[in-house]
Amino acid sequence: MVHRSSLYYLATVALLTVAMTACTQQSASKGQKGGGGGGRGRGGGGQVVNVQTAPIQRISIQRSVDLSGTLTSPDQAHVSSEVAGIVRDVLFEIGQEVTVGQELVRLDATELNLALQRAESALRQTEAQLGIDASRSVQIPPDDQIAAVRTAAANREDARAQLARAQELIAKGLMSRAELDTVQTRVKVSDAAYQSAVESVQALKASLQDRKASYDLAKKKLSDAVIKAPVPGAVSERTVQRGEYIRENTQVVTIVRMNPLKLKTAVQEKYANLIRQNQIVDFKVEPYPDDMFHGKIAYISPSVDQASRTFNAEILVDNPANKLKPGFFAQGQIQVSRDENVLAVPEETVSMLAGVSSVYVINNGVVKQTSIRTGEHEGKFIEVLEGLKGDEILAASNLNELVSGSRVGGGDEEGAPGGSDATGNGGERRSGRGGGKGGKRGGGEGKGNAQ
């Protein structure tokens, strides 16, 4: 029994010795792999990661609000014919630029000419009755200067004079009562005739206005037989052909104004306090992806749509070369303000993981991972809203090899930013000839690292 126990004990000790020897050899092997002053392993108090560093910056940032919308023409005229007739000439084509007053369509004017001549004849007849000479003056004379009224007035005065003589003769007994009654009746007739003449003149004056209006209308209709452009722009639609008969109010052409254009957009409710008139808008359109176009906010709706929680805004866009077309879809930004002295970090110092942004702050050669809240992106810098004070030194390279507690040394990669060493103490960055390759590859002796 004692002999067996001794053998068991000796076997156990032998096995433990073999295991310890194997562990020692494995640890030595790992130590050889991880040794060297420029190693790149994660963590470990004795391991050093070579990194470049960058200070926090104070920059100015242009604040903007994204927008999307459609370009439209501020003036789009659907031109129609005001008279009926046969189309004789069409003087435009689609896409052609037209100016105000330019002739577009001519209609047959034979019937309109005849109607004008008839209206002019009736007008001249009435003018003659009123004693108006159209070749000299079109001013209507006073009633007492019109021939019919003058004649009636003369007859009335003659009847009154005869009555006065008859009354003298009656007083002398030289005229009978019957003759006096006849003279009195003549006076009454002349008074009525005068009044009738005055009323006839008044009717002629009213008729003159009516016939003058008829003449002007006939003249206008003749002029309307030539359809002209009411606004400047480009022809976007042609709806008539030569030889066809068109009725009144038939659309013949659509003209769109090309300069300026309007960019209509809807802005989110939360930006209502930022949007102002005359703010600059930069946008792009799909046909010209490399060109940036500009405009200014001209009109802002005072109300918010309750369904979409947006309010409408219209931007005027200069389009002198007609490069932009109504109907283009545009995407861009409204430049609302520029903020100065904004805390920002270089974009290469920021690490993103699962939607969380963080940076690696270096203090006395030791890294501390710090979460930050970011804002706008301006060039190669990212705005920092929370998480940093502004005087930290940040790691700007090899971020995937860093964790909190890692020790770092300065790298000398080409183009590395200066201003601080990797210890975070503000020392000058220096590099020796022997340490450049070791800093890049992670296997050097660290001779060229910042101390």
Side-chain angles (χ1 to χ4, degrees):
M1 293 292 293
V2 176
H3 181 66
R4 284 186 177 181
S5 297
S6 298
L7 290 175
Y8 179 76
Y9 175 75
L10 291 173
T12 302
V13 171
L15 290 174
L16 289 174
T17 301
V18 172
M20 291 177 64
T21 301
C23 290
T24 302
Q25 292 176 350
Q26 186 176 3
S27 297
S29 176
K30 289 183 177 180
Q32 292 174 359
K33 292 182 179 179
R40 294 181 179 270
R42 283 183 173 266
Q47 298 175 347
V48 178
V49 180
N50 291 321
V51 297
Q52 297 177 7
T53 61
I56 297 174
Q57 304 286 335
R58 293 284 180 173
I59 65 172
S60 63
I61 290 184
Q62 177 66 54
R63 306 293 184 184
S64 61
V65 174
D66 291 339
L67 67 83
S68 60
T70 301
L71 289 167
T72 63
S73 173
D75 294 321
Q76 181 167 322
H78 300 286
V79 184
S80 301
S81 173
E82 296 188 44
V83 295
I86 298 174
V87 178
R88 291 303 182 198
D89 293 297
V90 178
L91 308 175
F92 67 92
E93 296 295 340
I94 292 178
Q96 179 180 338
E97 289 285 333
V98 297
T99 58
V100 176
Q102 181 174 334
E103 293 185 0
L104 302 175
V105 177
R106 291 175 183 165
L107 304 179
D108 183 86
T110 302
E111 293 185 7
L112 298 175
N113 265 316
L114 293 175
L116 177 63
Q117 292 173 12
R118 178 184 297 175
E120 183 178 14
S121 175
L123 174 63
R124 298 294 176 250
Q125 180 181 2
T126 304
E127 288 177 345
Q129 291 174 338
L130 292 173
I132 299 173
D133 187 352
S135 62
R136 297 181 180 180
S137 174
V138 294
Q139 185 175 1
I140 301 176
D143 291 352
D144 57 0
Q145 294 183 12
I146 296 175
V149 176
R150 290 205 310 268
T151 300
N155 291 335
R156 184 182 63 174
E157 293 300 324
D158 180 66
R160 288 178 178 179
Q162 291 183 8
L163 177 61
R165 289 194 297 270
Q167 289 174 341
E168 291 178 358
L169 294 174
I170 285 293
K172 295 177 180 181
L174 300 175
M175 179 178 286
S176 66
R177 175 63 60 178
E179 292 175 332
L180 179 62
D181 292 341
T182 301
V183 172
Q184 289 177 337
T185 302
R186 185 180 300 172
V187 170
K188 293 179 181 179
V189 171
S190 64
D191 287 339
Y194 176 81
Q195 186 65 32
S196 176
V198 171
E199 291 176 354
S200 296
V201 167
Q202 296 296 327
L204 284 174
K205 288 183 178 181
S207 177
L208 176 67
Q209 298 298 323
D210 177 67
R211 292 185 176 183
K212 187 176 186 303
S214 297
Y215 172 77
D216 290 341
L217 180 60
K219 190 175 181 180
K220 178 183 180 300
K221 285 183 175 294
L222 180 61
S223 175
D224 290 339
V226 179
I227 303 173
K228 300 178 181 180
V231 296
V235 176
S236 65
E237 186 179 9
R238 165 181 166 171
T239 55
V240 294
Q241 301 295 331
R242 293 178 180 84
E244 70 175 308
Y245 177 83
I246 61 174
R247 299 184 181 277
E248 294 181 3
N249 301 320
T250 300
Q251 182 177 329
V252 297
V253 61
T254 300
I255 301 174
V256 294
R257 187 175 179 180
M258 298 295 292
N259 185 32
L261 295 180
K262 275 185 181 180
L263 173 55
K264 294 186 177 181
T265 185
V267 184
Q268 295 182 32
E269 176 185 7
K270 63 182 179 180
Y271 299 122
N273 63 325
L274 301 177
I275 305 303
R276 300 287 184 272
Q277 285 186 333
N278 296 322
Q279 287 177 334
I280 299 298
V281 176
D282 302 325
F283 65 93
K284 291 187 175 183
V285 294
E286 188 173 354
Y288 308 103
D290 298 328
D291 294 343
M292 182 68 75
F293 299 92
H294 311 281
K296 284 186 179 181
I297 294 181
Y299 311 105
I300 302 173
S301 173
S303 61
V304 173
D305 186 276
Q306 297 183 6
S308 63
R309 310 312 305 176
T310 60
F311 61 93
N312 294 328
E314 295 184 355
I315 297 100
L316 287 181
V317 180
D318 287 333
N319 187 35
N322 292 348
K323 198 171 184 179
L324 299 172
K325 297 182 182 296
F328 276 4
F329 178 75
Q331 289 182 304
Q333 297 83 33
I334 303 172
Q335 308 300 337
V336 294
S337 64
R338 177 171 286 276
D339 291 344
E340 304 293 337
N341 200 29
V342 176
L343 193 69
V345 297
E347 57 186 7
E348 62 267 18
T349 65
V350 180
S351 174
M352 291 288 297
L353 181 62
V356 178
S357 301
S358 61
V359 295
Y360 294 92
V361 179
I362 301 174
N363 188 15
N364 294 325
V366 179
V367 168
K368 180 182 178 182
Q369 186 175 5
T370 303
S371 297
I372 61 173
R373 186 163 69 90
T374 60
E376 299 288 339
H377 210 121
E378 182 77 11
K380 294 184 178 181
F381 291 92
I382 300 175
E383 178 186 12
V384 177
L385 302 176
E386 292 180 1
L388 295 176
K389 297 178 181 179
D391 56 355
E392 295 90 344
I393 299 297
L394 309 177
S397 65
N398 298 331
L399 302 188
N400 60 333
E401 300 183 22
L402 300 178
V403 294
S404 292
S406 295
R407 298 192 63 83
V408 296
D412 65 341
E413 298 181 7
E414 184 179 355
S420 175
D421 64 8
T423 64
N425 295 325
E428 182 181 359
R429 182 184 302 278
R430 300 184 299 274
S431 61
R433 295 182 179 178
K437 295 182 179 179
K440 289 187 178 180
R441 299 177 183 174
E445 296 296 327
K447 293 181 180 179
N449 299 337
Q451 302 297 327

